[in-house]
Amino acid sequence: MNDYDIAIIGGGLVGASLAVALAASPLRVVLVEAAEPPPSAPARARMNPGPVSSVGTSPAAPPASTSLRSGPVSGPPWDERCIALNDASRRIFGGYGVWEAMRAEAAPIVATHISERGRFGTARFAAAEAGLEALGYNVPLRAIGAVLSTRMAQLPNLTLLQPARLSAMRTGEQSVELDIDAAGGSRTLAARLVVAADGARSAVRDLLGIAAERREYAQHAIVSSVRLSRPHQGVAYERFTPDGPIALIPKPDDAASLVWTVPDEQVEARMALDDAAYLAQAQDCFGGRLGRFVELGRRWSHPLARVLSGSLTAPRTVFIGNAAQSLHPVAAQGFNLGLRDVASLAVEIAGAQDPGAAATLAAYAARREQDRGRVSDFTDLMVRAFSNRVPFLAQARHWGLVAVELAPPLRGAVLRQHLGHLGLPRAS
Ligand SMILES: Cc1cc2nc3c(=O)[nH]c(=O)nc-3n(C[C@H](O)[C@H](O)[C@H](O)COP(=O)(O)OP(=O)(O)OC[C@H]3O[C@@H](n4cnc5c(N)ncnc54)[C@H](O)[C@@H]3O)c2cc1C
């Protein structure tokens, strides 16, 4: 009973997406998630006599964490925390049969507008030029989590252990033994493949002694929602300033997600401002393009760093999502990249005799290498090139934006990257 083909450690958005991706497979899957399930989650206990049920959104999660799993405990829908899914993610979720349920609550992003504060030069992209209805969709985290949870509760091949935490692992030739701590006591499982989806501070990585490369940006992102006096018309804005980017991503009802990146030394003071003062400062930074910011929702702050796992695989173990790479949120790439990890791994596993065989893992790593390198280098370059006051770079940035706006080949390359199409796996 305690033997599985696949053990997924971590049931954030990425781990839960993998469980759903494996729905059609005959493999026995266990998902281990440390956080308590939200009270509204569909109940379904298999092994764990404790409160084992769904995964994905934990409403009571503390604000100052790098995890984006939580949503507001309560409050108006316009204030919900969202994640911008690109077109590749829409397609992947569509293939798993869960997109339509998410779409009901998604705000389409029909165009993007990239600019730099205080300088001329913009780069603009429209869905129509890619032949799409939308470049992407801004979807409440709660909705993504709820749809994944509901789907997982229907899967006969899946066992959910939640709340339960991986505490030790021993790798053998044919399988890995995992010690799991849960409310009812500890237990040991065995799996042919361990999938580490346990976030930027991956316990699996630590237990295996795999190093991670960490780059501190000395910035925090303050995430909130705003109500606008003027319709956003589905346009997402990314505006660079020397202190970091400020982004407005459309939500329904003339509201928008506001992601404001500020230097570490300013975050405490900004978080302490009352709503009116915060809105005034954010407005000053963003400008008047969308009229006035008339109402502010709850604020969360996230310290920003790039964390790259030193390896994507270890014997009978693979890393996906933030456990593999955690990125700066500029250009909203992190989860989109993690979902392409999921899609690639699902394709490799589907074609393998043994999901944990060295050849399967090597093929996965080879599939992910390019996409991972390209997206993590691109986001890092954006942060470092724009978050400074060096005069030479200011000129380079200006001409860079002009070139992206006017030069068709460069434009096409940036657009494909933005849509996530370059990293979509082809079935083998
Ligand atoms: C401000 C901000 C805005 C962002 N906006 C976007 C966006 O618009 N679009 C986008 O694509 N990306 C965005 N991202 C990135 C995105 O949020 C992350 O890439 C994504 O949430 C990572 O999901 P994950 O499941 O890999 O990791 P996590 O969400 O960190 O989940 C890891 C899970 O593992 C569990 N866990 C940890 N240790 C153990 C253990 N020992 N045993 C069991 N379970 C364990 C944790 O409880 C957690 O649930 C943003 C990030 C930030 C900071």
Side-chain angles (χ1 to χ4, degrees):
M1 182 182 176
N2 285 355
D3 284 355
Y4 294 90
D5 295 303
I6 297 177
I8 304 171
I9 308 300
L13 295 183
V14 170
S17 297
L18 180 64
V20 166
L22 298 175
S25 91
L27 300 169
R28 290 155 304 154
V29 180
V30 61
L31 188 151
V32 181
E33 166 54 44
E36 292 278 348
S40 58
R44 176 170 172 267
R46 285 291 191 74
M47 274 177 61
N48 188 341
V52 177
S53 68
S54 78
V55 186
T57 53
S58 170
S65 99
T66 50
S67 162
L68 269 186
R69 298 175 58 257
S70 60
V73 177
S74 62
W78 69 269
D79 189 22
E80 285 193 312
R81 295 171 71 192
C82 287
I83 202 143
L85 299 180
N86 64 19
D87 188 62
S89 295
R90 174 192 66 83
R91 290 181 191 205
I92 292 168
F93 276 146
Y96 301 156
V98 290
W99 169 243
E100 284 308 318
M102 292 176 193
R103 185 192 189 123
E105 301 200 46
I109 301 166
V110 298
T112 57
H113 181 286
I114 305 163
S115 62
E116 189 176 6
R117 188 178 183 222
R119 302 188 77 87
F120 292 110
T122 51
R124 287 163 294 193
F125 297 96
E129 75 182 280
L132 294 167
E133 260 177 46
L135 295 168
Y137 292 83
N138 205 23
V139 191
L141 281 164
R142 174 202 46 78
I144 302 176
V147 171
L148 294 175
S149 290
T150 302
R151 183 73 187 112
M152 284 194 297
Q154 299 161 346
L155 302 181
N157 68 335
L158 177 67
T159 300
L160 297 170
L161 301 183
Q162 183 186 18
R165 177 176 288 278
L166 171 75
S167 59
M169 55 194 290
R170 294 168 293 281
T171 306
E173 283 282 307
Q174 300 302 321
S175 64
V176 184
E177 273 186 8
L178 304 166
D179 292 343
I180 308 295
D181 297 338
S186 295
R187 71 192 70 216
T188 300
L189 317 174
R192 292 200 289 164
L193 172 65
V194 175
V195 181
D198 53 351
R201 295 188 194 133
S202 168
V204 174
R205 208 172 56 217
D206 288 349
L207 290 170
L208 293 176
I210 295 175
E213 177 203 310
R214 193 176 170 90
R215 173 170 293 158
E216 301 294 343
Y217 290 117
Q219 294 178 335
H220 272 67
I222 304 179
V223 183
S224 61
S225 300
V226 282
R227 269 194 179 287
L228 307 164
S229 70
R230 209 181 274 167
H232 51 58
Q233 296 177 320
V235 181
Y237 291 85
E238 184 100 58
R239 189 167 169 75
F240 288 94
T241 81
D243 285 341
I246 183 166
L248 272 175
I249 306 155
K251 295 174 92 169
D253 299 334
D254 293 338
S257 304
L258 172 64
V259 183
W260 190 7
T261 307
V262 300
D264 281 351
E265 61 275 13
Q266 292 178 15
V267 68
E268 217 172 295
R270 287 255 157 81
M271 289 296 285
L273 290 173
D274 64 29
D275 284 4
Y278 186 83
L279 276 182
Q281 291 193 7
Q283 180 92 66
D284 181 53
C285 184
F286 180 77
R289 222 176 270 277
L290 283 175
R292 279 183 310 109
F293 296 171
V294 289
E295 193 179 355
L296 182 72
R298 291 160 51 125
R299 275 170 267 170
W300 289 268
S301 75
H302 304 259
L304 300 180
R306 182 174 86 160
V307 185
L308 298 181
S309 175
S311 175
L312 285 187
T313 64
R316 296 211 165 265
T317 304
V318 65
F319 293 85
I320 63 173
N322 272 23
Q325 64 276 317
S326 172
L327 308 180
H328 193 289
V330 66
Q333 296 283 333
F335 174 67
N336 290 304
L337 185 63
L339 192 58
R340 301 202 291 277
D341 291 346
V342 165
S344 295
L345 185 59
V347 168
E348 284 306 332
I349 288 173
Q353 287 280 344
D354 175 356
T360 312
L361 303 188
Y364 166 77
R367 266 185 195 272
R368 295 309 299 142
E369 195 181 2
Q370 242 194 356
D371 190 24
R372 177 187 195 237
R374 190 172 45 227
V375 175
S376 58
D377 287 351
F378 171 75
T379 53
D380 186 54
L381 178 74
M382 298 264 279
V383 180
R384 298 211 285 167
F386 280 94
S387 302
N388 68 67
R389 294 181 160 81
V390 179
F392 157 73
L393 278 177
Q395 285 299 324
R397 289 193 302 259
H398 169 74
W399 289 113
L401 282 180
V402 171
V404 167
E405 177 73 358
L406 297 178
L410 187 58
R411 214 179 148 67
V414 173
L415 185 57
R416 281 196 299 280
Q417 164 107 342
H418 200 54
L419 295 169
H421 291 172
L422 293 172
L424 274 174
R426 281 189 296 274
S428 48

